[in-house]
């Protein structure tokens, strides 16, 4: 079977390490028996996994982003429940399960990405319509498209998105993959203003740079300029300030130095840089999407710390949004 697998309390507790004298987030988070019960939960945040690397492979990348979800969830559930974060603020909904297509050439993978789009966006739409904020762990950046689509349909208008990323993911709309989620969202009128923070001059092609130059609704600040200044948080505030309240936050983990991904970088934001940006955020976001990270790639590289990186960003995001 393909589609959304909902988690039960038993699923959560099986991933939670119990220790006398301590309470973990896994003992506090909420679950649901049905999507139809979303509005009955008082948790403002909903955690959802999209563990796939089909979109990455369709974009000629290295497989492995499917590995981030379970490791990150396990790590998150074993964070301490305390006065800083109780855990009851979070509903762990579940994760999607997808089958690989029989053919694995880029065209077949692209067709599968389209099928994934059609499974993901209605769930995002339901979460938003229930008045909650989805936190999504990918997966490839191809999933930005169905997330944006789901939010836009729920809100009844185009939305704005901030993407902290080394790459614009504005490649041509000639087949779905991880490099063109935002291109499709713009083309299909789900994304209005698209702002990229930390773009790398070296890793965006001529077509992408022309789109940024010619489209007044696409803006960016290059990382090559950011490394010249220490006050990146204020720059992000100024960059985000003109954007509408229907705002999504995308964080591509390959923008963080040495995080394992198909496009890992030795030059980028440090994890503490990124945490600072999230913790000091002054805007209400309709969703958080963390993508492109891996704990194991198909070429044999492994890094379990990717899971903990994702967990820091999730808990920082929840704390920052609750304090707005």
């Amino acid at each position: 079977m393909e589609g959304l697998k909902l988690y039960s309390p038993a699923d959560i507790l099986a991933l939670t390490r119990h220790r006398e004298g301590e309470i973990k987030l896994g003992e506090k988070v909420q679950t649901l028996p049905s999507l139809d019960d979303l509005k009955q939960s008082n948790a403002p945040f909903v955690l959802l996994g999209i563990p796939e690397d089909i979109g990455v492979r369709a974009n000629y990348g290295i497989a492995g982003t499917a590995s981030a979800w379970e490791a990150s969830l396990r790590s998150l559930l074993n964070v301490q429940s305390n006065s800083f974060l109780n855990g009851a603020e979070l509903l762990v909904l579940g994760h999607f399960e997808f089958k690989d297509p029989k053919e694995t050439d880029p065209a077949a993978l692209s067709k599968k990405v389209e099928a994934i789009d059609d499974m993901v966006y209605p769930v995002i739409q339901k979460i938003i319509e229930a008045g909650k904020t989805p936190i999504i762990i990918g997966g490839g950046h191809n999933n930005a498209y169905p997330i944006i689509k789901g939010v836009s349909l729920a809100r009844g208008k185009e939305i704005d998105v901030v993407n902290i990323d080394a790459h614009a993911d504005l490649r041509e709309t000639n087949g779905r993959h991880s490099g063109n989620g935002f291109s499709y969202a713009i083309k299909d009128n789900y994304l209005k203003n698209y702002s990229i923070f930390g773009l790398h001059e070296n890793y965006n092609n001529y077509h992408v740079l022309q789109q940024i130059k010619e489209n007044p609704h696409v803006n960016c600040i290059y990382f090559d300029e950011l490394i010249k200044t220490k006050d990146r948080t204020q720059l992000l505030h100024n960059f985000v300030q003109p954007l509408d309240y229907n705002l999504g936050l995308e964080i591509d983990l390959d923008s963080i130095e040495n995080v394992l991904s198909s496009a890992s970088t030795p030059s980028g934001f440090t994890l503490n840089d990124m945490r600072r940006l999230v913790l000091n955020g002054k805007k209400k976001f309709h969703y958080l999407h963390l993508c492109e990270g891996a704990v194991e790639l198909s070429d044999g590289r492994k890094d379990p710390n990717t899971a903990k990186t994702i967990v820091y960003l999730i808990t920082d995001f929840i704390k920052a949004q609750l304090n707005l």
Side-chain angles (χ1 to χ4, degrees):
M1 292 290 292
E2 290 193 303
L4 180 64
K5 170 185 164 54
L6 295 176
Y7 282 22
S8 69
D11 294 326
I12 298 298
L13 292 176
L15 298 173
T16 305
R17 297 188 299 271
H18 303 279
R19 184 170 181 175
E20 187 176 351
E22 296 182 352
I23 302 174
K24 306 290 183 63
L25 295 189
E27 299 171 81
K28 291 288 189 177
V29 297
Q30 301 184 33
T31 59
L32 285 181
S34 167
L35 268 180
D36 295 332
D37 297 322
L38 269 169
K39 290 184 179 179
Q40 308 307 315
S41 169
N42 61 2
F45 301 94
V46 177
L47 186 68
L48 178 65
I50 313 180
E52 59 80 37
D53 49 35
I54 296 168
V56 172
R57 286 182 281 143
N59 194 29
Y60 301 95
I62 302 168
T65 54
S67 66
W69 163 250
E70 185 174 341
S72 300
L73 176 61
R74 187 184 298 272
S75 182
L76 177 65
L77 295 177
N78 287 287
V79 168
Q80 298 287 338
S81 171
N82 56 31
S83 58
F84 297 102
L85 186 65
N86 178 276
E89 307 93 340
L90 183 65
L91 166 65
V92 180
L93 188 62
H95 74 270
F96 284 93
E97 296 179 332
F98 306 118
K99 293 180 181 177
D100 260 8
K102 291 181 180 179
E103 302 295 328
T104 56
D105 59 281
L109 294 172
S110 179
K111 285 288 186 184
K112 184 64 178 185
V113 174
E114 292 178 9
I116 291 171
D117 292 342
D118 289 340
M119 283 185 265
V120 170
Y121 87 80
V123 176
I124 299 297
Q125 184 176 353
K126 281 182 176 288
I127 295 170
I128 296 294
E129 287 173 344
K132 302 187 183 303
T133 303
I135 297 172
I136 306 104
I137 300 175
H141 220 156
N142 45 289
N143 295 304
Y145 172 73
I147 293 168
I148 293 167
K149 179 177 179 178
V151 178
S152 174
L153 291 175
R155 301 298 300 170
K157 61 183 293 187
E158 296 170 298
I159 70 167
D160 296 346
V161 169
V162 176
N163 180 24
I164 304 177
D165 198 343
H167 313 93
D169 294 334
L170 283 170
R171 291 181 180 271
E172 297 90 337
T173 54
N174 56 2
R176 287 281 292 115
H177 53 66
S178 65
N180 60 19
F182 299 101
S183 307
Y184 274 87
I186 291 169
K187 179 177 75 72
D188 294 342
N189 298 314
Y190 299 124
L191 174 58
K192 184 177 182 181
N193 294 302
Y194 176 41
S195 298
I196 313 133
F197 191 75
L199 199 66
H200 284 217
E201 292 178 359
N202 288 359
Y203 295 101
N204 289 274
N205 65 31
Y206 175 80
H207 168 80
V208 168
L209 296 180
Q210 280 298 109
Q211 283 200 79
I212 294 171
K213 183 178 180 180
E214 295 171 2
N215 189 334
H217 295 289
V218 178
N219 299 291
C220 73
I221 294 180
Y222 288 96
F223 186 77
D224 309 74
E225 291 297 320
L226 289 174
I227 58 177
K228 299 175 185 178
T229 180
K230 291 183 179 180
D231 196 6
R232 297 170 185 172
T233 302
Q234 187 59 48
L235 282 173
L236 180 60
H237 288 164
N238 296 342
F239 191 52
V240 172
Q241 190 57 40
L243 300 179
D244 189 71
Y245 70 93
N246 288 293
L247 185 60
L249 177 60
E250 301 267 345
I251 299 178
D252 189 317
L253 293 163
D254 68 23
S255 65
I256 304 175
E257 286 181 3
N258 302 316
V259 169
L260 189 63
S261 74
S262 178
S264 299
T265 183
S267 176
F269 296 105
T270 67
L271 176 56
N272 284 343
D273 285 337
M274 192 67 77
R275 293 191 65 195
R276 215 169 281 120
L277 293 174
V278 174
L279 283 166
N280 288 317
K282 297 178 181 178
K283 280 275 189 175
K284 177 70 176 176
F285 289 103
H286 271 64
Y287 75 85
L288 169 66
H289 180 205
L290 300 165
C291 60
E292 296 285 333
V295 297
E296 183 174 359
L297 292 173
S298 59
D299 61 9
R301 286 178 288 163
K302 299 180 182 180
D303 189 354
N305 281 331
T306 303
K308 200 166 186 179
T309 295
I310 290 170
V311 168
Y312 271 120
L313 296 176
I314 290 172
T315 54
D316 289 346
F317 177 79
I318 292 174
K319 292 171 186 176
Q321 292 292 293
L322 287 175
N323 288 326
L324 287 178

